[in-house]
Amino acid sequence: SWFVNAVGRSAYNHSEDEPVDGYVSLRDPMAKPWIDMGYGESFMPSRSPATTARVIEQIKGELRDKEIMAHAGFFKNLGAGITLLPTDPMNLLPATTMVRGALKAGSIFKAGLAVARDVAAITTVQEAILHSQQITRTKAESLQTIAGSAVLGFGLGALGGALGKMGVLRGKAEVA
């Protein structure tokens, strides 16, 4: 799941690091280039060179991931995201809202709004957790992800509402 990966990748989840007396990560020459790039805040909790090295490796890994995604392009990233949908149990919640909205089928627009609301709420929680765990994650990336998921959720909810109105999910068509 994304949560386990995000928490597991955190550079600070290593209890075997012993704090080094007098060690100040912001003065460590190994951290200086990364501090100059704007990641200084990420080094503040570090109390040992080993933790600082892990923070640097996490930053490098995240930047490498971003570069891979940037070169892959929109459709490959979308395909990868869709492929991973079933691996995250949080993705089942909007599906239940979609089916519920489809079965009520009062309004296609309302069904879309209901799913968009739920998806945006779930994504906001996910982004808050990811933002706290990923050093290079920006607020703009999180906002784009939340907005994109709300738009996608609206489309899926409206589709569910339309299917509900047509009776596809109930097994009978309704006359409008």
Side-chain angles (χ1 to χ4, degrees):
S1 156
W2 63 270
F3 180 73
V4 173
N5 288 335
V7 172
R9 283 181 61 178
S10 176
Y12 308 110
N13 289 347
H14 296 275
S15 58
E16 69 272 5
D17 282 353
E18 290 292 324
V20 175
D21 288 336
Y23 179 77
V24 179
S25 59
L26 297 177
R27 293 188 191 140
D28 190 325
M30 185 170 54
K32 176 134 178 51
W34 303 100
I35 292 169
D36 293 344
M37 288 173 50
Y39 300 115
E41 191 175 296
S42 303
F43 290 96
M44 292 175 115
S46 177
R47 301 287 178 245
S48 72
T51 303
T52 296
R54 265 197 292 286
V55 171
I56 291 169
E57 287 307 309
Q58 182 174 345
I59 292 170
K60 286 179 181 179
E62 289 177 17
L63 292 175
R64 189 173 41 252
D65 291 348
K66 284 183 179 192
E67 186 177 337
I68 290 168
M69 289 172 49
H71 289 297
F74 176 77
F75 290 107
K76 285 184 182 176
N77 283 317
L78 181 64
I82 290 171
T83 303
L84 294 173
L85 281 175
T87 66
D88 188 350
M90 294 295 282
N91 292 323
L92 299 178
L93 295 174
T96 60
T97 304
M98 179 180 153
V99 171
R100 187 179 69 232
L103 293 176
K104 287 183 181 177
S107 161
I108 294 171
F109 183 75
K110 285 182 181 178
L113 283 180
V115 178
R117 177 197 63 223
D118 290 355
V119 170
I122 291 166
T123 306
T124 299
V125 171
Q126 290 175 334
E127 284 299 314
I129 294 167
L130 289 173
H131 198 35
S132 71
Q133 296 294 323
Q134 294 181 350
I135 296 170
T136 63
R137 192 153 196 94
T138 66
K139 290 177 184 171
E141 288 172 327
S142 293
L143 290 173
Q144 289 170 348
T145 300
I146 294 166
S149 68
V151 170
L152 180 61
F154 180 83
L156 291 173
L159 174 64
L163 292 173
K165 277 209 165 288
M166 294 179 345
V168 171
L169 297 178
R170 288 187 216 161
K172 60 180 178 179
E174 292 180 12
V175 178

